[in-house]
Amino acid sequence: MLSAEGLAEQVAQYNPKSNSKLIMQAYAYGRMKHEGQLRKSGEPYFTHPVAVAEILAGQRLDDASIVTALLHDTVEDTGSTLQDISDRFTPEVAKLVDGVTKLTNMQLSSTETKEAENIRKLLMAIAQDMRVILVKLADRLHNMRTIRAMRPAKQVQKARETMDIFAPLAGRMGMQSIREDLEDLSFKVLNAKGRSSIMRRFIKLQKETGDVVLRITGDMNHELDKANISTQVFGRAKKPYSIWRKMQEKDLAFSRLSDIYGFRILTQSEADCYRVLGVIHQRWRAVPGRFKDYISQPKSNGYRSIHTTVSGRDGKRVEVQIRTQQMHDVAESGVAAHWSYRDGVRSENPFTVDPFQWINSLIAQFDSDHDHFDFLEAVKLEMYSDKVFCFSPKGDVIKLPKGATPIDFAYAIHTRIGNACVGAKVDGLRVPLWTRLRNGQSIEVITAQGQNPQPTWLQMAETGKAKTAIRRALREADRKKFIVMGQELARAAFEHVGKRATDKVLETAAKKMGVGDLDELLARMGSAEFSARDVVRSVYPKLGGKEAVDVDMRRAVIGLSPGQSFNRSPCCQALPGERIVGIAAHGHGVAVHSIDCQMLVDYEDLPELWLDLHWHSGQHAAVYPVTLQMTLGNDAGVLGRVCTLIGEQRANISDLEFIDRNPDFYRLNIDVDLRDIEQLHAVSTVLQAEGEVASVRRLRAAHRGVNES
C-alpha cells in the first residue's frame, strides 16, 4: 500500500503547489476511521481508498479529488459525518464525498422504469460536480481489479453493471484507457472462457509471427525520420474484449481478424498530423472506408485524432491513430483533463471541453415527463454510442450514433423530413433505408407527399429522436384508420333508421356521450369502444331502440377474408360489443378472442396469425353462450327465482351444473345464451340485486382450471 508521503509526493510531481499537508491529513484520518475493517480479500480496508487515490493521481487530478478518494467511504462505512469532514477539511471535499456516497447507494441495474429514473439521477449528480463520477469510476476500477474476492453471483452482477453503465460512461467522457480496463475486467468475469481462448490464440500467434509490434514500430520510425518529422510512435496489441467484440460484430473467427494491433503517433503540431498521414499512406496501402478525421470534426467530449487503417507487414491490417501531445492528453483523460494539473497550474489544454456544459446539454434533451422507455433508450443512445459524422447536400454536419441509417439522418434534419422519407442517396448513389452510415458520407433524403412512417422503420432506426417520432406517427395513423372506420359505421347506422350522419348530428352525439370532439367519437366507434347503436340512441332514443335487424351469423364478425369462418374461443366466450381479435387456425378457420383474453399470451411471438376484427354493429341473435358461476343461498325457491330473472331479460338457459353443495349455500355454473355484452350486463345486474345471490361472475379462461378441478 502506498504511504501518505508517497501519495503526496506523486501528486506534487505534477502539481508542485499541491497541499501535501492536507493530503497526508486525509490519509491519516481515513486510516484511523477504517481501522480494523477488512475487505473481502482479508486485506485492510484502507488499501482500497488509497488505491482509488493513486488511480486519480495518475490522471493528474486536483487536491480535492485526491482527498475525496481517501475519504469516499468514511461516511457510509464509519461513524464519520459530512459536517466532520467539512470542518476538518473543506466544504468542497464534504460535498464531493456526499456525491460519491449517493452514487454508491444508487442501484443502477434495476427494472426498466427504475433504471431510467436512476440513470436520470446519475446524470443530475454528475451535473453538480463532474469529479464525483471521476472518483466513482476510479472506485469501480479498483473494485473490478479485486473482484475475485466476492461471491460468484455478486461478481456477475457488478461486472454486468460495469459493462452496461460505467464502462460506456467512461468512454463517453473520453476516458478511453479506463473504459478499456473496465470492459476487459468485466469480460473476464462474464465470459472467462472466451477471454482465455483469445489470450491463448494471441500467444500462439506471437510465437508464430514474432514481435509484430516492434517490427512495425521500427518501420514507421524509419519512414518518419526520412520525412524529417519529429514524432513518438507507440504500438500495442488490442485488449481481449476489443478483439472479441470485433469477432462478434464482424462474425469472424480469430484467425480471420486482421486489425488486432494498434499504433499511436504523437506529433508536435496539428499540421504534422496531416504530414504523418501522408507518409503512412504513401508507405502502406490504406484500407477503404477506415479513415476518420476527428481533428476537423471533433467528438463532443473533446476527442481529436486522425484514425486510419493500413495493410502492414505480411498484409496484416493495423490501426493507426495520429494526434498531438495535447490531443493525446484529452484522449487519455477525457473530461477529467479539465481538472488536470501540469507544473502546479490547471492544465490550459485548448482541446478540453467544458464538462458542465456537456452534461447539462445531455440532461436538457430529456424532459422529466418523458415515457420511461423512451427516456432510457434515448439517454443510453446519447451517452453510450460512438458517433458518425455525415454531411447534408448543403454541407451541414449531422452527428449520429454508430449504426445510424438514412432514416435517423432524415429525422435529425426535421421530423417532417423523416415522416415523408421514401429513399436516400449516399454519396450520390441510391441505397436502401436500412443502410448503415459511415463517417464523411454525404446523404440526400428523398421525400414524397403522402408518405407515412412504416412499422418496420422502428427496427431500422437507431436514434431516440427517430424512434419516438415514428411511434407518434404510427399512433396517429392508427387513429386516422379508426376515424375512417367510425365514419362508415355511423353512416350505415344512421341510414338504417332513416337519418343522415351529418357533422352536426355526430357533434350532438359526442356531447351526449361525454366525448371531447367529433374525431374522438368516430375513433372510439372505429375501435369498437362505442357501438353505432348507442350513438344513434344518444341522438334519437326511440329510433335507436327500434334497431332490430338481426345480423346474419355468417357476417357477425367484420375483418374476415372471403371464405373464412370464425368460432368463438371457449376460453373467453367473446360477445358482440367487446373488442376482439382473431387468431388464424388451420385451414380457413379463425378463433375469435376478447382483447383481454389471457390465452393470447401464447400467440405473442406469432404476430402473423393475428387478425384485426370487430363485431357487426347491428343487433345479434341471442345465440352466444356465456358461462356464469353463481353462489346461491340454499333455500326453497331460490333457483327458480334466478331462472325467472334470467328469462325476464330474454336470455335462454342452455345448461346448468352444480359445482358444490353445502347446508347453507351451493355453487353452480349456468350457461346462458346471450345477444351481446349489454345483455350480459343486464343479466348480471338483476342477479346481483337478488338477495339470495351471494356472488355472480362470468367464468373465463383464468378461472376455469381452478374452479373445475
Side-chain angles (χ1 to χ4, degrees), residues 222-352:
H222 177 70
E223 295 296 328
L224 293 169
D225 286 343
K226 283 199 308 181
N228 198 29
I229 306 175
S230 177
T231 61
Q232 292 176 282
V233 181
F234 304 92
R236 66 180 178 88
K238 293 186 177 180
K239 295 271 189 177
Y241 176 72
S242 178
I243 295 173
W244 180 84
R245 184 168 56 191
K246 282 184 177 293
M247 291 169 61
Q248 299 301 309
E249 289 176 353
K250 299 181 179 181
D251 195 23
L252 295 174
F254 182 88
S255 59
R256 296 186 59 198
L257 279 181
S258 51
D259 51 344
I260 59 177
Y261 300 102
F263 293 84
R264 187 170 298 141
I265 303 175
L266 302 185
T267 70
Q268 294 183 345
S269 69
E270 185 175 313
D272 282 348
C273 292
Y274 292 97
R275 292 179 62 201
V276 168
L277 178 66
V279 171
I280 297 297
H281 281 182
Q282 285 176 354
R283 171 62 176 80
W284 291 279
R285 185 168 58 86
V287 177
R290 297 297 300 272
F291 172 74
K292 300 174 184 177
D293 186 354
Y294 292 121
I295 293 180
S296 62
Q297 294 291 338
K299 291 188 177 183
S300 58
N301 56 21
Y303 180 85
R304 282 173 168 81
S305 185
I306 293 174
H307 291 194
T308 187
T309 300
V310 297
S311 294
R313 280 178 175 262
D314 305 322
K316 292 193 177 298
R317 291 183 178 183
V318 295
E319 185 180 75
V320 183
Q321 299 175 357
I322 308 167
R323 53 189 182 234
T324 68
Q325 181 64 54
Q326 287 180 316
M327 294 175 189
H328 178 66
D329 291 342
V330 172
E332 289 297 291
S333 303
V335 295
H338 182 79
W339 288 276
S340 66
Y341 278 74
R342 190 182 294 275
D343 300 326
V345 296
R346 187 75 66 86
S347 177
E348 293 294 331
N349 192 319
F351 305 124
T352 304

Side-chain angles (χ1 to χ4, degrees), residues 305-524:
S305 185
I306 293 174
H307 291 194
T308 187
T309 300
V310 297
S311 294
R313 280 178 175 262
D314 305 322
K316 292 193 177 298
R317 291 183 178 183
V318 295
E319 185 180 75
V320 183
Q321 299 175 357
I322 308 167
R323 53 189 182 234
T324 68
Q325 181 64 54
Q326 287 180 316
M327 294 175 189
H328 178 66
D329 291 342
V330 172
E332 289 297 291
S333 303
V335 295
H338 182 79
W339 288 276
S340 66
Y341 278 74
R342 190 182 294 275
D343 300 326
V345 296
R346 187 75 66 86
S347 177
E348 293 294 331
N349 192 319
F351 305 124
T352 304
V353 298
D354 183 345
F356 301 105
Q357 184 179 353
W358 169 72
I359 194 67
N360 285 326
S361 68
L362 183 62
I363 294 171
Q365 295 180 48
F366 310 108
D367 182 77
S368 60
D369 292 333
H370 270 181
D371 176 75
H372 283 298
F373 175 82
D374 287 343
F375 170 80
L376 186 60
E377 180 181 55
V379 77
K380 281 185 173 180
L381 284 170
E382 174 62 28
M383 205 164 68
Y384 305 152
S385 296
D386 292 329
K387 302 293 181 181
V388 293
F389 298 91
C390 297
F391 297 93
S392 72
K394 295 181 179 180
D396 296 328
V397 178
I398 305 297
K399 181 176 67 175
L400 297 167
K402 183 180 179 182
T405 65
I407 290 175
D408 297 297
F409 185 91
Y411 278 103
I413 296 173
H414 196 281
T415 301
R416 176 176 51 80
I417 301 296
N419 287 341
C421 176
V422 293
K425 291 183 179 180
V426 174
D427 293 334
L429 299 176
R430 188 75 179 258
V431 298
L433 288 177
W434 60 78
T435 303
R436 301 298 175 185
L437 302 179
R438 299 195 303 271
N439 267 315
Q441 291 180 325
S442 180
I443 317 298
E444 179 185 349
V445 179
I446 304 170
T447 61
Q449 276 190 330
Q451 169 69 334
N452 293 304
Q454 304 300 310
T456 53
W457 288 11
L458 286 171
Q459 282 72 52
M460 300 180 196
E462 285 291 322
T463 61
K465 179 180 180 180
K467 287 177 180 288
T468 301
I470 294 167
R471 290 193 186 102
R472 186 186 305 115
L474 292 175
R475 286 195 297 266
E476 291 175 357
D478 286 341
R479 178 179 169 80
K480 289 178 181 177
K481 291 178 184 177
F482 286 139
I483 289 174
V484 171
M485 191 178 296
Q487 287 173 330
E488 182 59 26
L489 291 172
R491 183 195 61 76
F494 278 89
E495 283 183 357
H496 181 71
V497 297
K499 300 292 182 181
R500 292 180 59 213
T502 64
D503 286 352
K504 186 174 182 180
V505 168
L506 293 175
E507 286 169 359
T508 302
K511 291 179 181 178
K512 291 277 189 180
M513 302 186 75
V515 178
D517 56 31
L518 174 58
D519 283 349
E520 182 65 19
L521 174 71
L522 294 173
R524 293 195 183 190

Side-chain angles (χ1 to χ4, degrees), residues 188-252:
K188 192 174 183 179
V189 173
L190 298 173
N191 193 350
K193 290 183 179 179
R195 186 177 185 276
S196 297
S197 175
I198 289 173
M199 295 289 287
R200 288 195 301 270
R201 295 179 190 183
F202 196 79
I203 292 172
K204 181 181 178 182
L205 179 65
Q206 284 184 314
K207 288 181 179 178
E208 294 173 353
T209 61
D211 195 339
V212 175
V213 172
L214 185 61
R215 295 204 307 270
I216 294 178
T217 300
D219 290 345
M220 287 183 176
N221 277 320
H222 177 70
E223 295 296 328
L224 293 169
D225 286 343
K226 283 199 308 181
N228 198 29
I229 306 175
S230 177
T231 61
Q232 292 176 282
V233 181
F234 304 92
R236 66 180 178 88
K238 293 186 177 180
K239 295 271 189 177
Y241 176 72
S242 178
I243 295 173
W244 180 84
R245 184 168 56 191
K246 282 184 177 293
M247 291 169 61
Q248 299 301 309
E249 289 176 353
K250 299 181 179 181
D251 195 23
L252 295 174

